[in-house]
Structures are given as structure tokens and as C-alpha cells.
């Protein structure tokens, strides 16, 4: 199946994010894959995820030595979406 990117951003706050990400539009095949994966993990005894499903691709993980970065994503418009 195809995926379409939908924006970029970072996790973490205070000018020191710990991860950079690209959002993915939640198309039906991707949502179905998420549900099936979640069900399989519950079947083997893991707790289900209670947070809302927000599909994304992690671009980078940053450690403390990376220092502060500016606002990530303001220079990267997504049009048309990448498939």
C-alpha cells in the first residue's frame, strides 16, 4: 500500500526535542495494519496502547549533546504529498 506524508515536527519540548518525525496520513490499509498488530500483541500478553494512533516516521533521534535546534519543519512544505 502507499503512504502519504503529512507535515513534520518534533517530540520533546523546551527547545530540546529528542526526536524528529514526518507525519503519515492514516489511510485505511495502515489503520488496519495497526489494529491487527495491536491485537496480536495483546494476544501474547502485552498491554494495549491507550494513546491515540498517530502514524509517523521517525527521521532522527537526538541525544543531549545534539544541543538546541530551531523550529523544525517550518521550511518544509509538503505539497504534493509523497506517496
Amino acid at each position: 500500500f502507499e503512504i502519504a506524508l503529512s507535515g513534520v515536527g518534533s517530540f520533546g519540548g523546551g527547545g530540546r526535542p529528542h526526536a524528529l518525525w514526518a507525519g503519515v496520513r492514516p489511510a485505511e490499509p495502515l489503520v488496519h495494519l495497526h489494529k491487527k498488530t495491536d491485537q496480536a500483541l495483546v494476544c501474547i500478553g502485552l498491554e494495549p496502547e491507550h494513546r491515540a494512533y498517530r502514524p509517523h516516521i521517525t527521521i532522527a533521534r537526538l541525544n543531549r549533546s545534539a544541543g538546541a535546534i530551531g523550529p523544525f519543519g517550518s521550511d518544509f512544505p509538503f505539497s504534493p504529498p509523497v506517496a
Side-chain angles (χ1 to χ4, degrees), residues 4 6 21-27 30-31 34 52-57:
S6 177
W21 56 264
V24 174
R25 288 195 190 129
L30 188 59
V31 172
H34 170 259
Y53 178 54
R54 291 190 176 31
H56 66 278
I57 298 168

Side-chain angles (χ1 to χ4, degrees), residues 13-77:
R16 290 181 131 358
H18 57 81
L20 306 178
W21 56 264
V24 174
R25 288 195 190 129
E28 183 54 39
L30 188 59
V31 172
H32 180 73
L33 176 62
H34 170 259
K35 287 179 183 177
K36 295 295 277 185
T37 302
D38 205 35
Q39 289 170 355
L41 294 172
V42 168
C43 284
I44 63 168
L46 296 175
E47 287 290 319
E49 178 62 64
H50 297 289
R51 294 177 292 179
Y53 178 54
R54 291 190 176 31
H56 66 278
I57 298 168
T58 300
I59 298 169
R61 294 198 183 274
L62 308 171
N63 61 27
R64 292 181 188 219
S65 66
I69 65 169
F72 178 72
S74 59
D75 296 335
F76 302 102

